[in-house]
Amino acid sequence: MAYDATELDVVIPELWSSDLLKGTYQAEQIINRVQRVDGEVKKFGDILHLPFLPTFTPVNVTATSGAFVPEDITLTKADLTIDKWKAVGFEIVKKAGKQAMIDAVAALKSQSAPALVDVMETDILALQSDVTTNTVGGSNDVLNEDLVLAAIQKLMDLKFGAFLRQPDMVSQVYHTSCMSQAKKVDAWNHAQITGHALGGSQKLEVDALYGIPIFFNANVASSSGRKNLMFIKHAFAVGVQNSFEFQEVPNTNLAKTYATDVLYGVITRKEDRAVNITTKA
């Protein structure tokens, strides 16, 4: 009887390649700004149930009796399916590999992880299509102060203002083309960004706007304009396989095939915790 990876799971150790880890952490930008449920991912097709508590509404209590009407509570959930399997790999002819001036295998280890993270973040940012409750801007608008403040107001109107004061709980992501439009934001000036006369734009220290961490990413979706996002962390979720797997694929010719692959899935948990900020392409 032949044993496959499923039967041997109990004796196969999960090892993290230091090269892959280094490449992953260096590349991660957006993926750590959403909810992570990595520890639950075991195999392709896994469905992770993510429960969500409702928003509670305070009620009056009768002073004489202490009586009040309890609120009916309905728990909701989002089902995250691990339905994406991506790989990066190449084939090296054995003789060429020996004569090469670089260690191609080491290069694959260090560079494959950022490539895989990049495609995961593209999938996360594509979830903007689910965000319909809160939208500001249009395909002819440039990034300006009114758009940013309008997005903040959308989240505050929905009573999420407390999250806006927690930098680890809220993010804003704009397409890289918006960097040239940043001068339209009055609060975005050298001294106010960093407190230094030289200025953040020259020192590449643009890390927040109105106290909310800001990211520029070329993977922001484009459809009738740039679909930028401002979101609270639990608006979206991602589940990633515990470790990237680097392996040599068996072959019969005079070449070796190497690959790094990963399983993951993304989902919109609560679309009203995000704002779609549309700007011109």
Side-chain angles (χ1 to χ4, degrees), residues 6-217:
T6 302
E7 284 84 15
L8 294 179
D9 271 347
V10 294
V11 295
I12 297 177
E14 291 187 352
L15 301 177
W16 290 72
S17 165
S18 59
D19 291 330
L20 292 178
L21 275 177
K22 181 178 179 181
T24 300
Y25 286 119
Q26 287 179 340
E28 288 176 346
Q29 186 185 48
I30 309 305
I31 194 171
N32 278 332
R33 304 301 299 181
V34 302
Q35 183 179 8
R36 298 284 295 265
V37 289
D38 302 350
E40 306 300 325
V41 178
K42 302 300 181 184
K43 62 182 184 301
F44 190 88
D46 276 354
I47 297 177
L48 310 181
H49 304 293
L50 309 179
F52 217 101
L53 289 172
T55 300
F56 297 104
T57 303
V59 298
N60 293 322
V61 179
T62 303
T64 56
S65 64
F68 68 96
V69 179
E71 187 174 357
D72 291 332
I73 298 202
T74 302
L75 294 177
T76 58
K77 66 181 177 68
D79 291 336
L80 192 162
T81 301
I82 305 303
D83 58 357
K84 301 180 187 299
W85 189 2
K86 304 290 185 180
V88 174
F90 58 75
E91 186 177 79
I92 303 175
V93 176
K94 292 180 180 179
K95 184 176 181 180
K98 294 178 180 179
Q99 296 175 343
M101 297 177 61
I102 64 169
D103 186 340
V105 176
L108 173 62
K109 285 185 178 181
S110 62
Q111 297 179 27
S112 59
L116 291 170
V117 169
D118 186 70
V119 74
M120 284 188 275
E121 294 193 337
T122 298
D123 288 333
I124 292 172
L125 292 172
L127 295 175
Q128 61 78 27
S129 60
D130 297 333
V131 180
T132 57
T133 298
N134 304 314
T135 61
V136 299
S139 58
N140 293 320
D141 291 330
V142 297
L143 177 62
N144 57 53
E145 192 159 358
D146 290 339
L147 285 183
V148 178
L149 292 175
I152 292 174
Q153 183 178 346
K154 290 280 187 182
L155 294 177
M156 293 186 70
D157 287 345
L158 289 169
K159 301 179 180 179
F160 300 134
F163 291 113
L164 301 180
R165 295 189 291 273
Q166 304 176 51
D168 61 329
M169 289 297 295
V170 62
S171 308
Q172 47 187 329
V173 185
Y174 300 98
H175 190 270
T176 49
S177 63
C178 289
M179 293 187 74
S180 62
Q181 304 167 17
K183 61 185 179 181
K184 300 293 183 181
V185 181
D186 291 340
W188 201 320
N189 62 60
H190 293 174
Q192 290 182 10
I193 290 174
T194 65
H196 301 294
L198 178 60
S201 58
Q202 294 178 30
K203 296 179 66 176
L204 299 179
E205 291 181 356
V206 182
D207 57 354
L209 185 60
Y210 294 111
I212 300 174
I214 186 170
F215 301 90
F216 291 99
N217 193 299

Side-chain angles (χ1 to χ4, degrees), residues 35 52 160 163 169 232-237 269-270 273:
Q35 183 179 8
F52 217 101
F160 300 134
F163 291 113
M169 289 297 295
I232 295 169
K233 189 167 190 172
H234 50 252
F236 310 110
R269 288 197 65 191
K270 299 291 286 187
R273 269 68 168 175

